[in-house]
Structure formats: structure tokens, C-alpha cells
Amino acid sequence: MSTWGTWGLMGVNVLLFLIFQIGVEPWRRKRLVKGFEEKVMEALERDGAGVTNHRDGGSASQLAAPTSNQAIAEAEEAPIEAPPATPVEIHPEVLAAVDEVTASATQSRDLPYKDPSHALGSPPSKFEAYKEALRDLFSEREIVIRQRHLTNVALEGAAAGVALVGFLVVLLRPR
């Protein structure tokens, strides 16, 4: 198989991967959850008719499905009271260890990118700015990114790859 065939198969694999991750998996997950909920409700209706709640004598199926919208509204509006908090004694060594770990994690994660030449007040040259940006791209700095943004980056990379390969095909094809 030729090199272009290999690149084409890799592109198809990446495309299929993205289609399944973005489209098919969420649909499957919703379908499975819906099917599971339906089976649980069927089992409660079938087997729960004889099961009673020890607190108020109602059946399990009655507890699982409120009979009116008013009952649902009352349940949503009812305040939830938290149990009273009980003080817990924590050993000072444990507190010191937690503070140390929290401080080191905060220092390594929350430090923003700072160009050292800006601290001196002189603007960096273009070469120095590009060099620092490139160094930052390959650094060990931890970042937090949402799945949506990561998917956008993957799709943009795939589109750029397709455009680059298409451009190379146009330039290098025999005439």
C-alpha cells in the first residue's frame, strides 16, 4: 500500500473516532440509561406491589412515582435541613501535611505564565517572545481544559492536517 493510502486510512480512522466520540457514544449512553430506568420502573411495579414502606405503609411503586404535579412541586419547594455538624479533632501533624501538599499543588498549578523580560520593563524581541512561547508549549506546566475545548483543538488539528496534505498533494503531484 502506498504512503498516501496509509495517510488516507489514518484520516478515516481519526474521523470515525471523532464521530463515535461526539455523536454515537452520547446517544448510546442516553439509550442505555433510559432502558435501565424503564426496567427498574417495571420491576418496581411488578415486584413492589407487595412491598410496603415501614415508615408510612405505602408501597414501593407509590414511593417511586409521585401521583400528581402538586406532590412534585411540594417536594422541590421543601427545605432540606442538614444534620447538625459535630466537631472533629484533627491531629496537628495531619493538618501540617495537608497544608504542605496544598501549598505545593497551588504553587505549581496556579502560577500564570510570565515573561521574565516584562518584569524588567523592556519589551522582548520577537525572537525572544517566540522562543519563550515555544518553551512554554513543551513545559511541564499543568493546565485545566474542558472536554469541549479539547475536542475543538483536535478538530482544528485534523482540519489543518487535511489542508496541509491537500496542499502538498497539489504541489508535489506529477504533471
Side-chain angles (χ1 to χ4, degrees), residues 112-150:
Y113 169 73
K114 292 183 182 177
D115 191 3
S117 61
H118 287 314
L120 301 175
S122 63
S125 67
K126 278 193 169 187
F127 177 73
E128 289 296 322
Y130 287 131
K131 189 170 134 181
E132 189 63 34
L134 186 64
R135 190 175 296 135
D136 184 47
L137 281 176
F138 296 103
S139 69
E140 293 293 322
R141 183 171 55 108
E142 293 182 12
I143 61 169
V144 177
I145 188 168
R146 294 184 184 269
Q147 180 68 36
R148 181 180 52 181
H149 298 295
L150 188 61

Side-chain angles (χ1 to χ4, degrees), residues 47-141:
D47 296 336
V51 177
T52 59
N53 187 1
H54 296 290
R55 195 179 311 165
D56 59 4
S59 70
S61 61
Q62 290 172 346
L63 293 175
T67 57
S68 69
N69 290 337
Q70 182 181 8
I72 294 173
E74 289 174 4
E76 289 176 348
E77 293 175 2
I80 299 174
E81 296 180 16
T86 57
V88 177
E89 293 184 27
I90 300 175
H91 200 272
E93 292 177 7
V94 173
L95 286 175
V98 168
D99 290 339
E100 181 181 329
V101 169
T102 305
S104 66
T106 304
Q107 286 175 352
S108 65
R109 186 181 58 205
D110 292 340
L111 290 178
Y113 169 73
K114 292 183 182 177
D115 191 3
S117 61
H118 287 314
L120 301 175
S122 63
S125 67
K126 278 193 169 187
F127 177 73
E128 289 296 322
Y130 287 131
K131 189 170 134 181
E132 189 63 34
L134 186 64
R135 190 175 296 135
D136 184 47
L137 281 176
F138 296 103
S139 69
E140 293 293 322
R141 183 171 55 108

Side-chain angles (χ1 to χ4, degrees), residues 7-17:
W7 281 103
L9 285 175
M10 284 194 317
V12 169
N13 282 337
V14 168
L15 183 66
L16 285 174
F17 173 77

